Amino acid sequence: KPGEQRHPKEPPSLQCMHLAVVACGDRLEETLIMLKSAVLFSNRRLCFHIFAEDSLKPEFEKKLKEWPSSYTKKFESNIYPITFSVGNAQEWKKLFKPCAAQRLFLPVILKDVDSLLYVDTDVLFLRPIDDIWHLLREFNSSQLAAMAPEHEIPKIGWYSRFARHPYYGTTGLNSGVMLMNLTRIRSTQFKNSLIPGGLTWEEMLYPLYQKYKNYITWGDQDLLNIIFYFNPECLYVFPCQWNYRPDHCMYGSNCRGAEEEGVSILHGNRGVYHDDKQPTFKALYEVIRDFPFEDNLFQSLYYPLQSKFLDTVHTLCGRIPQVFLKQIEKTMKKVYENRVIVYLGANHRY
C-alpha cells in the first residue's frame, strides 16, 4: 500500500522512493508536470504522496490513470486531504501559499514512512530522484533533514538582508526541496526558544508559529529556518544544483555546483513557468509538459529544448544553457542505453 514501510528483506530495486507534494488552488497542472519529470527519469519505483484539496482529488486520479502503462507501473500514488493535527486549521491554510504549511505535518501524518523527499509543485527533476535519495546515506547520526541554502551570496540574499527572526546559517534555507528522515524527526527532542527543555516536532509547531507569526514572511519555510537555527546539528546542507532557482542566474551565475555538474533539480519559483520573466525556466517546463510519454527523448524533448533555448540567449539565465542541459542530456543518454542498447544487445545474442 502507498506509504507503507517496505519489508527490510525486500530487494532495494523494489523499494519505494517516497515523494510528497502539496497542491491547492490552481496547482494541478504544475504538480502533474513535476510528477511526470520524476517518472520520466527515475530508475527505482516511486511512491507519490499527494496532499490536495478535495476538489482536486478526482482530477489527479483521472490524469494519472491516463498515463501509459509503461509509466504507471513505475509508481503508486495515494491522495490525502489537507489536515493539520495541531492548532487552528484556517491559520495554517493562510500561513503563506494555500495549504503550503501541510508539509510541516508530514512526519505526523505519514507514520509508516521512514524517509521522504518533499518538493514544491513548481519543481522539475532533470535527473533521477535516485540520485538525491542516495544523499540519505550521507546523513550523520544527528542529521534528519536536508535542504539547500536560500542564497549563495549574503549581500543579495533575502534572509541576510530582511529577516526579523532567527534563520539557519548566513543566508537561510530554501525549503522547496527537502529530504527528510521522518523516523528521526518523530523521535527527536528539538531545542527551541519556547521552553528550556526539548519538544517533539508536533509539540513545537503551533507554539513556534504563535511566537513568530508577526515576524515571518515566507510561512512554513521561515518556521523551518527557525527550527534549524536552534538545531543546526540536525541539518544536512546539499548544494544549490539540487534546488536551482532564478536567483542563481538572474543576477549573474552564482551556483558553482550547477556550473560544474549541471542543474539536478529545477525550482521555478516566482511563477516563472507562467510568465515571460525567465524564458529559460519556462522553456524547460513547456518541453516536459508537451513531451508525449512514449516518444524518443532526444527527438521530442532534448532537441525542442535546444531550439527554445536559442530564443533565451538575451537573458542572464539564457546565456548559460549548458548549466540547464548538462544533467538532462546525461540522464537521457542513460535512459537511452538502458532502453535501447541493452535491449538490442540482448536480442542480438539470440
Side-chain angles (χ1 to χ4, degrees), residues 121-334:
T121 61
D122 51 9
V123 155
L124 292 172
F125 294 93
L126 305 187
R127 67 190 287 183
I129 290 183
D130 309 59
D131 296 337
I132 190 170
W133 193 257
H134 291 157
L135 295 180
L136 287 164
R137 301 174 185 171
E138 297 187 17
F139 284 17
N140 66 27
S141 59
S142 66
Q143 290 167 339
L144 45 77
M147 285 181 274
E150 170 66 19
H151 216 287
E152 303 303 300
I153 305 172
K155 67 180 180 181
I156 56 176
W158 193 92
Y159 284 104
S160 45
R161 292 185 294 162
F162 305 118
R164 297 185 295 152
H165 58 79
Y167 59 89
Y168 180 89
T170 56
T171 59
L173 300 164
N174 184 281
S175 58
V177 179
M178 185 176 179
L179 192 60
M180 292 180 274
N181 184 318
L182 300 184
T183 301
R184 288 187 180 182
I185 290 174
R186 286 187 286 262
S187 63
T188 297
Q189 293 284 318
F190 291 88
K191 299 188 291 292
N192 58 84
S193 58
L194 304 167
I195 63 170
L199 290 171
T200 67
W201 185 266
E202 188 175 17
E203 290 170 341
M204 176 174 57
L205 290 178
Y206 193 61
L208 203 65
Y209 165 66
Q210 288 294 317
K211 178 171 182 176
Y212 290 104
K213 64 181 179 181
N214 294 325
Y215 305 99
I216 59 178
T217 302
W218 307 112
D220 50 310
Q221 177 172 292
D222 289 347
L223 290 178
L224 289 166
N225 266 281
I226 294 165
I227 290 170
F228 289 106
Y229 168 83
F230 290 105
N231 300 270
E233 72 285 355
C234 293
L235 189 75
Y236 177 99
V237 179
F238 52 66
C240 48
Q241 65 265 32
W242 293 104
N243 185 352
Y244 191 90
R245 286 159 280 123
D247 300 70
H248 290 120
C249 54
M250 62 190 287
Y251 307 114
S253 182
N254 60 60
C255 176
R256 184 175 295 177
E259 291 171 13
E260 294 172 353
E261 297 182 20
V263 175
S264 297
I265 296 179
L266 193 76
H267 185 181
N269 62 345
R270 305 173 182 264
V272 294
Y273 297 148
H274 313 293
D275 60 31
D276 296 317
K277 293 178 181 176
Q278 297 297 337
T280 313
F281 282 75
K282 187 177 182 181
L284 271 156
Y285 179 81
E286 290 180 344
V287 166
I288 293 174
R289 179 194 66 193
D290 298 339
F291 173 70
F293 266 106
E294 298 192 283
D295 272 20
N296 180 283
L297 280 166
F298 277 101
Q299 289 180 348
S300 300
L301 195 150
Y302 189 68
Y303 296 146
L305 191 56
Q306 284 185 314
S307 178
K308 278 180 176 282
F309 273 11
L310 290 174
D311 298 327
T312 73
V313 293
H314 63 285
T315 67
L316 281 170
C317 293
R319 291 178 188 175
I320 48 172
Q322 71 282 359
V323 166
F324 297 90
L325 292 171
K326 189 177 291 187
Q327 276 297 334
I328 202 167
E329 181 179 4
K330 184 178 176 183
T331 299
M332 282 192 292
K333 282 181 177 176
K334 283 185 179 178

